[in-house]
Each structure stands twice: as C-alpha cells, then as structure tokens.
Amino acid sequence: EALLQYVELVGTKVVAPPLAGHRAAPDPEDLMFLEVALAGQAEAVITGNVRHFPSAIRQGVRVVEPAAFLAQWKGAVSWTPG
C-alpha cells in the first residue's frame, strides 16, 4: 500500500496516443502500458510479462519485473507515508 500511495503522490496523469505499427507485438493488449510510459516519459514499465515487450518495440523504455523494481525502489527511496 505504501508503494501505491507514493505513486499517487509523485505520479503524473497522461493521455497516451496509440503506437502505430506495433500490432504484431506478442500481446497487443499490453501495448497500452508502453503507450502510457512513452507519453509520460517514464523510465520503465513494471510487468510480470517482460516477454510481451521485446526490445524492438520499447523505444528506450526499460521493462522490469516487479521483484527487481521493488528491490531497487526500497534501496533508493526513504519515504514514510502519513
């Protein structure tokens, strides 16, 4: 829950245009997450389906598994909710 509170605190709402020409992705329904990441200039997409984001479609956005992200986040952020 602390992570979600942090995301709400520092997050940015964005409107994401659709990516053109990437409907051949392993799971086209996951492209919306990459679209939002690109529109919001995110550094990474956090997902348990890394294989759904091959390097050919990432456009510079890192794709990270949740456990790896949490390990990095816990080491980099000193934030206490409330």
Side-chain angles (χ1 to χ4, degrees), residues 24-27 31 34 49-59 61 63:
D27 187 350
L31 284 177
L34 183 58
N49 293 319
V50 173
R51 68 186 180 281
H52 290 182
F53 299 92
S55 58
I57 68 169
R58 293 181 185 178
Q59 300 185 34
V61 175
V63 177

Side-chain angles (χ1 to χ4, degrees), residues 32-76:
M32 70 178 101
F33 302 109
L34 183 58
E35 293 164 350
V36 169
L38 290 165
Q41 299 177 341
E43 293 179 30
V45 169
I46 314 305
T47 179
N49 293 319
V50 173
R51 68 186 180 281
H52 290 182
F53 299 92
S55 58
I57 68 169
R58 293 181 185 178
Q59 300 185 34
V61 175
R62 289 185 316 130
V63 177
V64 182
E65 292 184 339
F69 170 76
L70 287 174
Q72 183 178 8
W73 180 74
K74 285 179 181 177

